[in-house]
Amino acid sequence: MYGLLSLFALATLLPFIYIVLVSFTSPSEYARTPILLFPREWSTASYDYIFRSGSFMRSMGVSGFLAIVGTACSLLVTSTLAYGLSRSRLKGRRVILGGILFTMLFNPGMIPAYMIVKEYGLMNSIWSLILPSLSSAFYVLLMKGFFQEIPAELEESAKMDGSSDIGVFFRIIVPVSIPAIAAFGLFYGVGFWNTFFAGVMYITDDAKRPLQVVLQMMLLNASTGVGSGAAAQALSVEQRLPPETLKMAAVIVSSLPIIAVYPFLQRYFVSGMMLGSVKG
């Protein structure tokens, strides 16, 4: 059994290892041997091309802002909405739940979303990448089910001590819900970090483009031989980057922050995924 599990783990790791090796392969060697198991000539040309681009670090800051601020706002909206819906004393609870379920079944599409963003004056604003996707109906329903499992005695004892509903939520509900909040926070963070389509639709200012959009533009420039600035001048004709090596480097650069954060949230993530599976 351990041998089978080890082979399965190796099979899942091999694609990632291959991506790392190709990203560090010299352009000349990859041009000679596109399929290789281990490079003989190591090179950081792909990473030099990415990091020498003036827009790269700026886009890292934009994506970092989206991941941090967007995740915090999404968790606040999702948790407060789910907590209110989990209490039967909320007036209009069924109507609100019906509206949330309606959004899961019927998607208005791309054009209405674009018109809403434009009418609210959010075009070319970083908030256009946050507000339209501020919450998820599916996550609200999942968190609502978790809040319903919290014993009502905790709230009753807090209210007997004179705490308000807001005080109960932030002092009692949030501390005991850290596993669920951390799990959903990881989902939201990955989603905001990987923002691409919304960045293409709503952002035209180069200074406000998220990381994924900038990396895609850099890949197009490298594959067509069209570059700009120091990144274009850094490579000679003989060192012209193959698009594949640059793609692999882009995958590593865009994935590394999430990979670095995941170990710190892993225990909360596992606990959050198990919530509601066992009673008592």
Side-chain angles (χ1 to χ4, degrees), residues 95-226:
V95 176
I96 299 174
L97 278 174
I100 293 175
L101 290 173
F102 184 84
T103 62
M104 293 182 63
L105 298 175
F106 301 97
N107 189 345
M110 177 178 63
I111 296 178
Y114 180 85
M115 293 176 63
I116 291 175
V117 171
K118 184 177 180 180
E119 289 298 323
Y120 277 93
L122 295 175
M123 292 297 295
N124 210 31
S125 170
I126 293 180
W127 291 104
S128 65
L129 308 178
I130 297 178
L131 296 181
S133 56
L134 194 59
S135 186
S136 168
F138 182 63
Y139 292 167
V140 168
L141 296 178
L142 288 180
M143 193 171 286
K144 166 185 168 293
F146 168 71
F147 286 149
Q148 287 177 331
E149 296 181 1
I150 297 178
E153 290 78 9
L154 291 176
E155 296 183 53
E156 295 173 358
S157 62
K159 288 188 174 181
M160 290 178 62
D161 293 335
S163 181
S164 63
D165 288 331
I166 296 179
V168 170
F169 176 74
F170 285 104
R171 296 179 182 177
I172 304 297
I173 302 300
V174 171
V176 301
S177 307
I178 291 298
I181 293 175
F184 290 114
L186 180 62
F187 295 147
Y188 277 123
V190 172
F192 281 114
W193 179 262
N194 291 328
T195 298
F196 174 76
F197 191 68
V200 174
M201 286 184 59
Y202 307 137
I203 303 297
T204 58
D205 186 357
D206 292 340
K208 299 178 182 179
R209 296 186 188 276
L211 176 63
Q212 308 301 330
V213 177
V214 172
L215 287 177
Q216 190 262 355
M217 295 173 62
M218 294 174 65
L219 288 175
L220 290 178
N221 291 338
S223 61
T224 58
V226 178

Side-chain angles (χ1 to χ4, degrees), residues 39-60:
R40 290 175 295 178
E41 300 177 10
W42 296 81
S43 173
T44 59
S46 298
Y47 294 95
D48 292 340
Y49 180 87
I50 291 176
F51 285 103
R52 288 185 183 183
S53 174
S55 59
F56 175 79
M57 297 305 298
R58 191 165 55 242
S59 65
M60 284 280 289

Side-chain angles (χ1 to χ4, degrees), residues 6-29:
S6 299
L7 290 176
F8 180 76
L10 181 61
T12 58
L13 284 176
L14 280 177
F16 186 78
I17 296 174
Y18 179 77
I19 290 174
V20 174
L21 294 178
V22 172
S23 67
F24 283 102
T25 303
S26 66
S28 58
E29 181 179 1

